[in-house]
Amino acid sequence: MNGAQLLPVFVVGLAGSIHCAGMCGGIVTAIAVAPAHAGVHRTPVRILSMDSGVRRNDVGYVVAYNAGRISSYMMAGALAGGLAGGARSMATLAGMQLNFYWLANAMLIALGLYLMNAWRGLAVLEQGGRVIWRRIAPITKTFMPADTPRKAFTLGALWGWLPCGMVYSALTTALLSGSALNGAAMMLAFGLGTLPMLISLGLLGAHLQQAMRRRSLRIACGLLVLGFGVIGLARAAGGVTPDWMDMLCLTPHQ
């Protein structure tokens, strides 16, 4: 897998990250960060707070949190890619390969509509993910307040399993990556795409959130993601086949 194949995954993460700012206020939880050293007078900051207008000034804590979050994405991608890659020799999977390809691109279309708030079908998947999250959420309390970078990283790694339709869409693509390594690489690219938005949220909070509520911006980002899905389905149907389309397709065409 080369960088050209990872570029569209990065772009989808970048465009889809508006979901975190404008559409996940009821899901994303404010994480309080206490001073790293006792006796050092620093203003406590919040990482990924969707409600607070407090100024964020501790970039190190925000980066540690997001590094943990992306590490969880990579782990999930490795599991998805390894599961499908390990079973690839099975005739049943070979026969289902094209179906998975259609599913992955249909998920991108669903994500695009979700970002535009035109269709909330992915919310059903998020509800399913809450079954796992209910077991993880109590553990997060052990690391709060996150008064060290290690705690911030661990908290981010746990929060990486928060139910999110956008992440599930990316994982569907990772299923077709062919191996655990490729699956992890795809989710790394996706996570890096979300990084600019989430670091900015950690530092600017409510100010950025307010800007991301603009309907025109959500529609533009949603159309971009939806476009990737439409192009992928066109390739699957045989209507668009030039090699340069690899730059615009998230899933390998088998």
Side-chain angles (χ1 to χ4, degrees), residues 85-164:
R88 176 162 290 186
S89 60
M90 298 173 59
T92 53
L93 183 64
M96 294 174 63
Q97 193 76 13
L98 185 59
N99 292 333
F100 278 123
Y101 183 86
W102 280 81
L103 174 62
N105 287 285
M107 286 285 286
L108 287 176
I109 293 176
L111 176 58
L113 295 173
Y114 190 44
L115 294 175
M116 293 186 287
N117 207 23
W119 184 64
R120 303 283 295 176
L122 287 183
V124 176
L125 290 179
E126 291 180 350
Q127 290 298 322
R130 290 182 185 276
V131 175
I132 298 176
W133 179 244
R134 279 196 292 266
R135 297 179 178 274
I136 297 176
I139 304 175
T140 63
K141 297 178 181 179
T142 306
F143 301 95
M144 296 177 67
D147 51 6
T148 67
R150 181 178 298 178
K151 282 188 176 181
F153 178 90
T154 305
L155 210 50
L158 293 172
W159 242 263
W161 300 96
L162 188 75
C164 177

Side-chain angles (χ1 to χ4, degrees), residues 110-249:
L111 176 58
L113 295 173
Y114 190 44
L115 294 175
M116 293 186 287
N117 207 23
W119 184 64
R120 303 283 295 176
L122 287 183
V124 176
L125 290 179
E126 291 180 350
Q127 290 298 322
R130 290 182 185 276
V131 175
I132 298 176
W133 179 244
R134 279 196 292 266
R135 297 179 178 274
I136 297 176
I139 304 175
T140 63
K141 297 178 181 179
T142 306
F143 301 95
M144 296 177 67
D147 51 6
T148 67
R150 181 178 298 178
K151 282 188 176 181
F153 178 90
T154 305
L155 210 50
L158 293 172
W159 242 263
W161 300 96
L162 188 75
C164 177
M166 183 177 72
V167 176
Y168 297 158
S169 297
L171 281 175
T172 305
T173 300
L175 273 171
L176 291 172
S177 63
S179 70
L181 182 60
N182 286 342
M186 293 192 76
M187 292 307 293
L188 172 61
F190 170 80
L192 290 177
T194 67
L195 199 56
M197 173 68 75
L198 294 180
I199 286 183
S200 298
L201 276 173
L203 300 177
L204 301 176
H207 301 290
L208 180 61
Q209 181 191 5
Q210 188 65 31
M212 294 300 102
R213 291 182 185 274
R214 296 177 182 173
R215 179 170 173 76
S216 59
L217 183 58
R218 295 201 308 267
I219 290 177
C221 291
L223 286 174
L224 177 61
V225 176
L226 188 148
F228 279 118
V230 170
I231 291 174
L233 290 182
R235 289 198 77 197
V240 182
T241 57
D243 291 339
W244 60 268
M245 279 294 176
D246 287 338
M247 290 286 293
L248 301 178
C249 291

